[in-house]
Amino acid sequence: MKGPGARDRRIAVIGAGPRAFFAVERLVARGRAASTRARVRIDAFDPAPAGAGEEYDVAQPDYLRLTIPAGLVDAWVRTGETPSPEGEVAFGGWLPPAGDGWRYDVFPPRALVGQYLCDAGSRLRDQLPGGWELVHHGRRVSSLVPCEGGRWSVHGTYYDEVLVCSRLGASWSGSLQGHWSDSKPLIGDPSPVGLRLGERQIRAGASVGVRGAGRTFLDVLLALTEGRGGVFEPGGRPHRMVYRRSGRDVAVVYPFSRTGRFPEVVPTPDAVPAHAGLDEARHDALVSIAASGEDADRTERIALETARLYLERARAASGAPISHDEARVAVDDCFAQLHRTALERGLDPRVELERSVRVALGEEPLGPEWALGQAWRDLHLAMSAQFTRAGAGADARRPFWECAVVMQPLTFGPAPINGVKLLALIAGGVVDPRSLVGPSLDAGGVSWPDTLVMPEPRIDVIVDAVGPPPGYREQRQELLDRLVEEGHVRLAEGRAGIEITEDARAVGRDGSPTPGLSCLGRLVEDVEIGDQVLVRQPDDVAERWASRIASGWF
């Protein structure tokens, strides 16, 4: 094994996606600020491109789009003790000029985000202090070997610090894979869709059942249509499309979802003019949340009141005013209805999707669905902080997380262009939304009630497009499984994530920090905030990790 010299420091970063980049960028910034003469080598291990990771792989097709506005994405830190160098641009400033009006819109392809992050990684190498190295290794790490002095061995090389922020796989306790008892073929993990949903796996003209109706469902759907040569052309109305089959696409897709509906389409950030006063309402809500402690009921009331104010002010600014009482009734009724399925509410998923698209495109006044979704998007990180901090008990957290699940259909839905494409596929008979209302799909297969007017269709293959929840508790990953088994890390009591200290040190079986081992990313969610992987937060756990390493080394 190779051992470092007396002044050398080595860090192994397991995973090279955005969260890993953010942590390394913070350490580099502190190294520059300290004018350190220490020699530091950082080795990042990930088969996917450095900075982008698998989620934002630059090779993925353009129809896989971002679900948050491009303006929220920034690889660099603008404030604090160690800001990033001047001149580094956010994603919105990096994007090429508008081309076809769709590719470079507010919700651009995820591959473009990957290109931006890869470019940021190259720029980060240029910022390294003298004597520092940053090297990407395109391979996985499946085991770590503890050594004397709190060091670790990775592939035969000693490291003073190991930061684990690798992507968790699709294998989890609630997936269909491993429990599937139906005779139909099952594709349990469809990602990356460009590789796993080819014509060898699903033949042209097949009928496909898909569990889930969220982002992964749309990825699957577009891979089976546009990804096979199907074409979306302008429709008869502005911002509408028609779908032309290629002959290689599937015949029909049947979605199955516990909610019985498609997620709400996310409007563009300019849907509400700046003078509407939403910023003031947001600020007041954030102050109230910070003072709410662990009172989930109070936090919920703050979010609902914020949504009422959003709706009232947005409608006034658009010239279609409503009173505060009318906004309250609309928001409260919408929130109550979220606890019921589409079947119970008598909703038509296609009609609801059409309404959602019209609102997102500004063709219909903003409604309570938008207000609730926008309030939750604006306040979710602050609310999460109240219930992920170390002292928050399980009884306090449970109502908040249950509310977060209920709110999912309104918060992180598709970009407007994908809502338009989904409508075109429904109109063209490629998607049959009737399977959303009544039928169900679980490990035993499809259950189709006899009471439905529509007879049970023939389905050739099933795709599971429901991903795992945050955290590690319900998942399996070789590296983490070994670390847990050996007692180097443990699940936080009553939580879904790996337990860490405030500065990211992994907590071992005996309750004490494990020397030289830290964890970040999805595996610690529910212990630390990790709702939006691309949205950087001031004084987040990556910043605190970098501060600890820097203060101990230089």
Side-chain angles (χ1 to χ4, degrees):
M1 294 184 181
K2 305 172 186 175
R7 295 187 59 192
D8 287 348
R9 296 286 189 174
R10 280 184 177 268
I11 299 175
V13 181
I14 315 302
R19 284 178 173 131
F21 170 84
F22 295 162
V24 172
E25 188 275 333
R26 289 291 76 210
L27 184 62
V28 170
R30 289 186 175 272
R32 286 197 314 271
S35 300
T36 178
R37 287 186 287 179
R39 292 180 294 177
V40 178
R41 178 180 170 113
I42 304 169
D43 290 321
F45 296 88
D46 196 324
E54 185 174 321
E55 177 78 5
Y56 301 99
D57 190 343
V58 298
Q60 63 188 300
D62 279 354
Y63 55 74
L64 303 179
R65 286 182 173 267
L66 202 60
T67 55
I68 62 172
L72 295 179
V73 181
D74 193 348
W76 310 102
V77 174
R78 310 293 171 181
T79 59
E81 296 179 2
T82 54
S84 303
E86 293 184 9
E88 300 296 359
V89 297
F91 180 51
W94 175 93
L95 279 171
D100 57 13
W102 286 114
R103 175 173 166 77
Y104 303 117
D105 70 0
V106 178
F107 302 90
R110 299 201 287 267
L112 278 179
V113 181
Q115 292 176 30
Y116 168 69
L117 292 170
C118 288
D119 181 65
S122 297
R123 298 179 70 84
L124 183 62
R125 289 188 180 88
D126 296 336
Q127 301 170 13
L128 294 175
W132 284 45
E133 294 180 85
L134 176 56
V135 181
H136 174 243
H137 304 269
R139 52 179 170 168
R140 299 187 187 279
V141 173
S142 58
S143 65
L144 301 174
V145 180
C147 306
E148 293 182 3
R151 292 188 294 172
W152 295 81
S153 173
V154 181
H155 294 312
T157 298
Y158 289 120
Y159 291 90
D160 302 282
E161 170 79 5
V162 174
L163 176 63
V164 180
C165 40
S166 51
R167 179 181 182 269
L168 295 173
S171 176
W172 63 291
S173 60
S175 66
L176 297 181
Q177 204 164 16
H179 308 282
W180 187 244
S181 60
D182 193 86
S183 60
K184 294 182 180 66
L186 169 71
I187 297 176
D189 179 9
S191 299
V193 294
L195 297 177
R196 297 188 177 178
L197 298 179
E199 292 182 55
R200 290 194 346 186
Q201 292 88 357
I202 299 179
R203 62 173 177 80
S207 297
V208 183
V210 181
R211 185 175 79 136
R215 194 191 82 167
T216 305
F217 161 74
L218 278 168
D219 289 354
V220 168
L221 177 62
L222 293 173
L224 297 175
T225 52
E226 189 173 5
R228 294 191 176 189
V231 176
F232 290 95
E233 299 176 346
R237 290 186 293 162
H239 298 108
R240 290 301 187 273
M241 296 179 173
V242 294
Y243 178 70
R244 304 299 182 197
R245 290 182 176 272
S246 68
R248 295 170 35 232
D249 43 13
V250 297
V252 62
V253 174
Y254 298 99
F256 297 83
S257 169
R258 60 177 174 80
T259 64
R261 57 165 294 170
F262 298 110
E264 197 76 6
V265 177
V266 180
T268 57
D270 60 358
V272 181
H275 68 265
L278 266 59
D279 287 345
E280 178 185 348
R282 182 187 308 113
H283 174 268
D284 292 345
L286 292 172
V287 171
S288 298
I289 288 170
S292 67
E294 298 173 21
D295 188 337
D297 290 337
R298 183 180 174 189
T299 301
E300 182 180 298
R301 291 195 298 272
I302 293 169
L304 288 175
E305 179 58 22
T306 305
R308 296 167 193 144
L309 288 171
Y310 277 12
L311 182 57
E312 179 186 6
R313 294 180 182 185
R315 291 291 291 267
S318 67
I322 59 175
S323 69
H324 188 70
D325 283 344
E326 290 173 316
R328 176 181 56 78
V329 170
V331 166
D332 292 0
D333 179 66
C334 181
F335 182 69
Q337 294 298 330
L338 287 174
H339 294 78
R340 304 171 64 201
T341 66
L343 180 62
E344 293 168 335
R345 297 165 63 187
L347 295 180
D348 182 332
R350 186 201 62 77
V351 173
E352 283 296 290
L353 176 64
E354 175 68 38
R355 174 200 54 75
S356 178
V357 168
R358 288 179 59 81
V359 169
L361 295 175
E363 300 171 354
E364 189 172 308
L366 295 167
E369 296 86 358
W370 163 82
L372 278 166
Q374 190 62 51
W376 195 266
R377 284 188 291 272
D378 287 347
L379 305 180
H380 189 260
L381 285 175
M383 293 188 291
S384 295
Q386 296 298 106
F387 297 99
T388 56
R389 58 191 181 83
D395 291 341
R397 294 196 316 275
R398 188 174 300 110
F400 169 72
W401 294 120
E402 289 173 352
C403 185
V405 171
V406 169
M407 288 293 296
Q408 277 181 349
L410 301 187
T411 49
F412 303 111
I417 183 176
N418 281 344
V420 171
K421 287 180 177 181
L422 181 53
L423 280 177
L425 290 169
I426 292 172
V430 182
V431 174
D432 193 332
R434 292 178 294 177
S435 57
L436 285 171
V437 185
S440 61
L441 172 58
D442 56 26
V446 174
S447 297
W448 201 274
D450 295 334
T451 55
L452 289 184
V453 175
M454 175 186 175
E456 181 173 357
R458 173 185 62 83
I459 296 178
D460 300 310
V461 61
I462 299 293
V463 178
D464 190 357
V466 175
Y472 167 75
R473 183 176 295 277
E474 296 189 44
Q475 301 197 50
R476 289 292 176 268
Q477 190 217 51
E478 186 177 5
L479 175 60
L480 266 295
D481 291 349
R482 288 185 177 181
L483 290 174
V484 170
E485 182 180 345
E486 294 167 2
H488 303 304
V489 303
R490 71 178 186 182
L491 280 162
E493 184 177 357
R495 303 199 181 197
I498 295 293
E499 185 174 358
I500 58 173
T501 63
E502 289 189 351
D503 52 12
R505 288 177 292 177
V507 175
R509 183 187 296 147
D510 62 359
S512 60
T514 300
L517 184 63
S518 302
C519 296
L520 284 177
R522 190 170 178 84
L523 60 153
V524 302
E525 286 182 6
D526 189 30
V527 176
E528 278 292 334
I529 301 171
D531 164 64
Q532 288 289 4
V533 65
L534 293 175
V535 180
R536 304 194 70 165
Q537 299 298 316
D539 192 34
D540 62 6
V541 67
E543 183 79 71
R544 298 193 295 273
W545 171 82
S547 176
R548 170 172 59 85
I549 298 299
S551 62
W553 288 7
F554 41 84

